């Protein structure tokens, strides 16, 4: 009987396990190994202030450099990292790496780091953030944490306390992919976000672009009256940029300006900022 052979053997010989389950297990094993061998890297995408076209900061986006499969997108492995708990260690690595790299940038450029709900809920998350700041020398004012609405759905009290604690230290909190979750507006009252990132689906859906535009305009207005910065994600074309400007958003992010790039390729944005400042 397979069971008597122990866990590992049961996995290998279990005829009930289909190919996709096998593939998942292989992926999970690779993920643990990747963490041990430093196979992850962060790419950075600029966040642009529309008033003056200045690069205010960058969002860190994790990639996995796989020996056979090349660069793997986070959409493929973050969900599995969350299910397996690997996200705790991976998230710690991401925070440390992002703070370390950003500490070498001009002091007015900030860094935004995505935080999964599981990470935030984990005891010791605030401590992990503090250690990343202390270890890198990055000022808390330069760090922005991006969370999604799902964070506020469960475990609300503990999550809110952690967010308040981080915010009291000077770290900014952004709500990511705003408008894709549930009853979003009530969250804006329950927690004082510093920024909302309006999901790119409001730009993209061309059939309903008039409605998308109306929604962006309303969210920008709401943000303005609550003192919250609004950013529109996923700006790809000049037409979209013009529309977003007309809607009054303060910041944008998207392929029109730059795709996420490796840390070694962000310096030209600092030069551009300096030139603009000198010309002003
Ligand atoms: P997100 O946080 O909403 O990140 C924005 C995603 O939109 C990125 O995809 C970015 O490459 C993409 N994007 C930016 N501009 C454009 C554009 O103009 N057009 C289009 N079509 N897409 C654009 P990416 O890097 O594949 O990341 C996907 C998601 O994976 C992220 O969505 C985030 O939820 C998650 N993720 C990425 N890095 C991390 C991380 O370090 N930690 C955690 N927990 N999640 C991460
Ligand atoms: Mg994000
Ligand atoms: Mg987003
Ligand atoms: Mg998104």
């Amino acid at each position: 009987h397979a069971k008597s052979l122990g866990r590992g053997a049961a996995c290998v010989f279990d005829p009930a396990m289909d190919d996709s389950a096998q593939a998942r297990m292989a992926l999970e094993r690779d993920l643990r190994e990747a963490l041990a061998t430093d196979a992850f890297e962060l790419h950075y995408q600029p966040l642009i202030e529309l008033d003056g076209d200045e690069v205010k900061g960058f969002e860190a986006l994790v990639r996995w450099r796989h020996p056979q499969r090349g660069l793997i997108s986070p959409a493929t492995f973050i969900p599995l990292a969350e299910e397996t708990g690997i996200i705790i260690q991976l998230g710690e690595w991401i925070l440390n790496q992002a703070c370390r790299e950003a500490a070498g940038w001009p002091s007015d450029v900030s860094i935004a780091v995505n935080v999964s709900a599981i990470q935030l809920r984990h005891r010791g998350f605030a401590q992990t953030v503090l250690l990343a700041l202390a270890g890198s020398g990055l000022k808390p004012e330069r760090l922005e944490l991006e969370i999604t609405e799902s964070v506020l759905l469960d475990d609300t009290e503990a999550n809110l306390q952690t967010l308040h604690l981080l915010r009291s230290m000077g770290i900014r909190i952004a709500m990511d992919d705003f408008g894709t979750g549930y009853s979003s507006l009530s969250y804006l009252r329950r927690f004082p976000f510093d920024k909302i990132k309006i999901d790119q689906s409001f730009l993209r859906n061309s059939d309903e672009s008039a409605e998308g535009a109306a929604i962006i305009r309303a969210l920008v207005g709401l943000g303005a009256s609550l003192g919250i910065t609004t950013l529109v994600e996923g700006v790809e074309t000049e037409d979209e940029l013009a529309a977003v400007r007309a809607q009054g958003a303060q910041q944008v992010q998207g392929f029109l300006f730059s795709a996420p790039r490796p840390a070694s390729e962000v310096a030209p944005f600092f030069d551009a900022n300096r030139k603009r400042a000198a010309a002003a």
Side-chain angles (χ1 to χ4, degrees):
H1 196 269
K3 262 201 178 123
S4 63
L5 297 172
R7 273 181 165 246
C11 288
V12 174
F13 297 115
D14 188 348
M17 187 173 292
D18 59 15
D19 286 354
S20 73
Q22 297 269 8
R24 261 177 69 92
M25 277 187 49
L27 188 65
E28 182 179 340
R29 187 199 56 217
D30 286 1
L31 211 47
R32 289 188 197 283
E33 194 179 308
L35 206 50
T37 58
D38 232 17
F40 293 102
E41 56 188 71
L42 297 182
H43 286 200
Y44 297 95
Q45 188 179 34
L47 311 178
I48 287 123
E49 183 82 20
L50 281 177
D51 182 12
D53 285 348
E54 189 191 358
V55 174
K56 295 295 276 188
F58 290 84
E59 178 175 3
L61 295 155
V62 68
R63 274 92 181 89
W64 174 9
R65 199 168 284 285
H66 193 280
Q68 280 87 42
R69 291 192 282 165
L71 215 55
I72 304 182
S73 125
T76 311
F77 64 85
I78 290 284
L80 186 63
E82 290 179 335
E83 283 169 40
T84 54
I86 296 173
I87 192 68
I88 299 300
Q89 276 171 280
L90 177 57
E92 190 172 338
W93 180 86
I94 290 166
L95 269 164
N96 283 315
Q97 180 75 355
C99 290
R100 237 184 344 251
E101 291 188 314
W105 299 348
S107 60
D108 57 345
V109 176
S110 63
I111 177 73
V113 179
N114 291 284
V115 172
S116 123
I118 290 162
Q119 253 181 298
L120 183 76
R121 203 186 301 141
H122 191 255
R123 291 178 75 85
F125 175 69
Q127 170 116 2
T128 299
V129 175
L130 285 187
L131 287 173
L133 290 172
S136 62
L138 190 83
K139 291 215 166 65
E141 291 73 20
R142 291 176 63 192
L143 179 62
E144 191 164 277
L145 299 178
E146 298 193 1
I147 61 168
T148 54
E149 291 156 296
S150 66
V151 156
L152 301 177
L153 275 180
D154 49 17
D155 246 47
T156 301
E157 268 320 303
N159 282 346
L160 284 182
Q161 265 180 28
T162 304
L163 290 172
H164 277 291
L165 174 65
L166 293 166
R167 204 161 178 268
S168 71
M169 300 179 330
I171 295 161
R172 278 166 293 137
I173 310 292
M175 183 177 271
D176 205 354
D177 303 334
F178 190 80
T180 56
Y182 323 76
S183 52
S184 326
L185 294 180
S186 67
Y187 295 139
L188 294 180
R189 284 196 339 152
R190 294 221 324 265
F191 185 79
F193 288 95
D194 299 282
K195 181 187 282 188
I196 50 184
K197 301 187 75 175
I198 301 170
D199 193 73
Q200 54 172 290
S201 56
F202 294 111
L203 272 186
R204 204 70 69 232
N205 220 331
S206 58
D207 278 356
E208 295 139 30
S209 64
E211 284 157 39
I215 290 169
I216 292 175
R217 200 182 286 277
L219 290 175
V220 166
L222 187 67
S225 61
L226 293 173
I228 303 172
T229 302
T230 44
L231 176 148
V232 176
E233 299 185 302
V235 174
E236 293 181 355
T237 67
E238 290 290 350
D239 283 355
E240 287 170 353
L241 178 60
V244 168
R245 274 191 202 279
Q247 287 145 9
Q250 282 151 279
Q251 296 185 2
V252 288
Q253 173 178 8
F255 295 163
L256 178 64
F257 297 90
S258 172
R261 336 173 161 190
S264 60
E265 293 174 23
V266 299
F269 291 105
F270 307 146
D271 299 340
N273 272 357
R274 269 197 297 275
K275 284 206 189 91
R276 259 190 301 275

